[in-house]
Amino acid sequence: QAGDIYADIVKALAKENLDYNELSKKISYPKGSALTSYLDELETSNYIQKYYTWDIKTQRTTKTFRF
């Protein structure tokens, strides 16, 4: 059920910041377009926020992001 997936995502991220792979493992949901779509919808509706990590060495944002 989609509602259950949304709830699992929000509950997991309420406890800690996770990257995409960590979140997939934490909620036992496979990586792929469905998970990405759920995350995009939650971000668009302001339930979660995506931010890019910072590399101290290069002093730039990385391609890696966390929620």
Side-chain angles (χ1 to χ4, degrees):
Q1 295 254 7
D4 293 338
I5 303 297
Y6 288 117
D8 290 346
I9 292 170
V10 172
K11 287 177 188 175
L13 294 175
K15 294 178 183 175
E16 61 186 320
N17 293 326
L18 300 167
D19 68 22
Y20 183 84
N21 294 326
E22 294 167 337
L23 178 61
S24 175
K25 288 178 187 175
K26 187 80 161 183
I27 64 171
S28 300
Y29 196 83
K31 296 180 277 187
S33 61
L35 180 58
T36 300
S37 293
Y38 291 133
L39 292 169
D40 288 344
E41 289 174 17
L42 286 169
E43 184 182 12
T44 299
S45 60
N46 293 318
Y47 278 98
I48 64 172
Q49 182 178 6
K50 180 182 356 180
Y51 63 95
Y52 290 87
T53 58
W54 181 259
D55 186 330
I56 294 173
K57 193 174 187 179
T58 64
Q59 296 186 355
R60 296 176 187 231
T61 56
T62 66
K63 293 180 180 179
T64 306
F65 55 85
R66 298 183 76 79
F67 297 95

